[in-house]
Amino acid sequence: TILDMLNAVPLISISGEIGVKKFSLLQRLMTSLDVSMALEREPLGSAYYAKPQEELLKGHVRGWLRDLMPSDASRRYYGFKELVGPRHGLDVPRLLELFGSSVRVVRNYRKDINSQAQSGFYQYTKNTFNKLVNITALLMKQTQHVPCFDLPLESFSVQNFNRLLSFLNIYNCSFTRIVHAHAHGTY
């Protein structure tokens, strides 16, 4: 998978989905930031004297997200798999904005959505094709204002993975083959 391929690069540390069941850790983190920033506007109560420092709070959020990754001083790129999904409800542009100009997005999706809808666990769910069309469109929309590298499944090749490394300004290594972790549609 793309996760296995990217984590094989010494400078990269990508986590799988950060959530448990329908609980999105990233969504809860962003909600906590919103609540913290709203404290200053509270007219009464113990929060009346709160003076949240937005840039410091955002710095803490960035550090907290970074600290979720395996700690290794050599890792320069940290990230998460599947920021856009049907159950996340995450304001992805706002999350990406927290990281400023250092954000890089790898958009991994299927061009052949019909085949995707008939594979793996998708074949057992209702309205899969429409859901996948909507998720792919949402991915494109929510990441349109940051540097992106499109890597659809149908384009997996040694050449494209090496282009991805160039996109990330990583030049001290290269791929020689592609990992296929889900051979024949199985896990």
Side-chain angles (χ1 to χ4, degrees):
T1 66
I2 190 169
L3 196 60
D4 298 321
M5 295 285 293
L6 291 176
N7 280 322
V9 177
L11 296 172
I12 298 176
S13 180
I14 306 289
S15 170
E17 296 90 343
I18 302 227
V20 179
K21 298 181 182 174
K22 294 186 179 193
F23 170 82
S24 169
L25 205 53
L26 294 174
Q27 178 62 36
R28 295 285 172 101
L29 183 60
M30 295 304 290
T31 300
S32 296
L33 179 61
D34 290 342
V35 168
S36 298
M37 292 309 302
L39 291 176
E40 186 174 32
R41 296 186 296 274
E42 280 295 314
L44 301 171
S46 60
Y48 180 73
Y49 296 102
K51 299 291 179 198
Q53 298 176 45
E54 185 172 7
E55 289 311 309
L56 283 175
L57 288 171
K58 287 180 178 180
H60 292 306
V61 169
R62 286 189 296 270
W64 193 84
L65 290 171
R66 182 190 61 245
D67 292 344
L68 281 173
M69 302 296 110
S71 69
D72 184 332
S74 71
R75 302 292 179 172
R76 190 169 71 192
Y77 291 97
Y78 299 91
F80 305 96
K81 176 183 172 186
E82 195 181 358
L83 288 176
V84 177
R87 63 178 193 253
H88 299 324
L90 184 63
D91 184 349
V92 174
R94 189 162 162 256
L95 175 67
L96 296 176
E97 183 184 301
L98 275 175
F99 293 92
S101 63
S102 64
V103 167
R104 300 291 179 271
V105 172
V106 179
R107 296 192 293 203
N108 179 230
Y109 54 94
R110 291 280 300 265
K111 288 180 183 177
D112 186 353
I113 293 176
N114 194 44
S115 290
Q116 183 180 7
Q118 297 172 20
S119 68
F121 64 89
Y122 289 117
Q123 63 188 316
Y124 304 110
T125 59
K126 294 179 182 178
N127 301 319
T128 301
F129 181 82
N130 291 334
K131 289 176 186 175
L132 290 170
V133 166
N134 291 337
I135 289 168
T136 303
L138 186 62
L139 170 67
M140 299 304 174
K141 180 181 178 186
Q142 291 195 338
T143 57
Q144 67 184 341
H145 298 295
V146 297
C148 294
F149 186 90
D150 286 336
L151 190 60
L153 178 68
E154 294 86 352
S155 297
F156 277 20
S157 69
V158 170
Q159 183 179 16
N160 282 335
F161 271 92
N162 286 327
R163 284 186 184 136
L164 172 58
L165 292 178
S166 293
F167 168 75
L168 296 172
N169 295 316
I170 298 173
Y171 299 103
N172 60 345
C173 64
S174 62
F175 290 101
T176 58
R177 61 184 183 271
I178 302 296
V179 172
H180 293 281
H182 299 302
H184 310 294
T186 61
Y187 291 96

